[in-house]
Amino acid sequence: MTTQNIERYSVVAKRNLERGMKLFNAGFTTKQQQKDTLTYINRAYEAYRSCITDLLWEIPHEEQTEAQSRIYWSIPRAAYLLKLKHVDAILAIFPAASPYLEEMLKLAELRRVVKIQEVVKPDKEGAEMQAKAAHVHVTILERMQRLGRQYEKALTLPDLFGGLNVHANVHVVTNQHGTRYLRAFYYLDGKLTPLPLIIAAHEAHARKKKDK
């Protein structure tokens, strides 16, 4: 039963992450969108945490150790509390937790960036930005299709952004209706960055080159 629970928690985590990333990569036009994104991040984190705690219940009670029990109760309950020392301690006892911890670290970083992300009121420029972001998504989807891949870690994208040091961790997802869409974490100079900010940096970079 625990294996089924872990699979269910994984689905819940991915669903909430997708919803949060959709808002994040579109840019926030209201404080509520920012709050909703944080809610989705928290739900995803909680679900991945449940994947790890359920690993303990796969071990027969009589075989559970004190160290395993201690780790069970010490896993941070919120993304902002998760540190590398927790990850190392958990992996030492539950190596199988590695994929969940990797996602939890991403969520912790995503939460940090969301908290400091500026809210920009909707206007004509905002609509244009959303159109540009949609174009980037379509271009990457087409590229992934040509490569024949569903997932790509550190997909380099300088050609889309005028030579800027941009890469993305990309996962092409197909939902239950057969619709393909993109889940992507974008990085500028190695730092997780909302797509609208990368597009704005690209435009500023292009203007500087033009003025020279």
Side-chain angles (χ1 to χ4, degrees):
M1 186 63 181
T2 53
T3 300
Q4 292 179 351
N5 284 341
I6 290 174
E7 291 175 354
R8 178 168 56 84
Y9 289 135
S10 294
V11 170
V12 170
K14 291 174 182 176
R15 185 182 301 128
N16 280 283
L17 176 58
E18 288 160 7
R19 290 169 178 169
M21 289 303 297
K22 183 177 181 180
L23 289 172
F24 176 73
N25 283 325
F28 303 134
T29 57
T30 67
K31 289 292 290 184
Q32 188 59 52
Q33 289 176 338
Q34 190 177 38
K35 290 179 180 178
D36 288 345
T37 303
L38 290 171
T39 297
Y40 289 134
I41 291 171
N42 290 337
R43 290 175 180 171
Y45 179 89
E46 290 167 0
Y48 279 127
R49 184 182 184 279
S50 294
C51 288
I52 296 175
T53 56
D54 266 32
L55 290 174
L56 178 66
W57 302 119
E58 290 190 330
I59 304 171
H61 181 72
E62 63 275 9
E63 296 178 16
Q64 295 176 12
T65 67
E66 182 180 344
Q68 290 168 340
S69 179
R70 185 169 58 251
I71 287 296
Y72 177 87
W73 294 109
S74 68
I75 302 172
R77 292 185 174 275
Y80 74 94
L81 296 172
L82 184 67
K83 309 296 181 186
L84 286 177
K85 64 179 182 181
H86 298 121
V87 174
D88 291 340
I90 295 166
L91 286 176
I93 304 300
F94 295 118
S98 178
Y100 311 124
L101 287 167
E102 182 178 349
E103 295 300 325
M104 289 162 72
L105 283 172
K106 290 179 184 177
L107 288 165
E109 174 63 7
L110 178 59
R111 181 189 180 280
R112 185 191 67 78
V113 176
V114 167
K115 290 284 287 185
I116 62 175
Q117 177 63 27
E118 182 181 0
V119 175
V120 180
K121 298 297 182 181
D123 54 18
K124 181 180 178 181
E125 290 184 1
E128 291 176 351
M129 180 63 74
Q130 289 187 351
K132 292 172 182 175
H135 173 71
V136 170
H137 289 163
V138 170
T139 302
I140 293 176
L141 272 173
E142 291 174 346
R143 183 173 299 183
M144 294 293 286
Q145 187 170 8
R146 287 197 302 272
L147 292 171
R149 296 175 183 170
Q150 292 292 111
Y151 179 79
E152 185 73 17
K153 191 170 184 179
L155 179 69
T156 56
L157 303 169
D159 57 310
L160 290 183
F161 299 101
L164 293 180
N165 181 22
V166 178
H167 77 271
N169 293 339
V170 180
H171 187 193
V172 179
V173 181
T174 304
N175 65 19
Q176 65 270 30
H177 305 294
T179 303
R180 285 163 54 88
Y181 60 94
L182 200 67
R183 183 202 302 152
F185 290 81
Y186 294 94
Y187 296 82
L188 175 61
D189 292 331
K191 294 182 179 179
L192 180 65
T193 307
L195 181 56
L197 289 187
I198 296 177
I199 293 172
H202 170 216
E203 293 175 345
H205 180 66
R207 285 194 296 269
K208 285 182 179 179
K209 289 178 66 176
K210 186 177 180 181
D211 292 340
K212 287 183 178 180

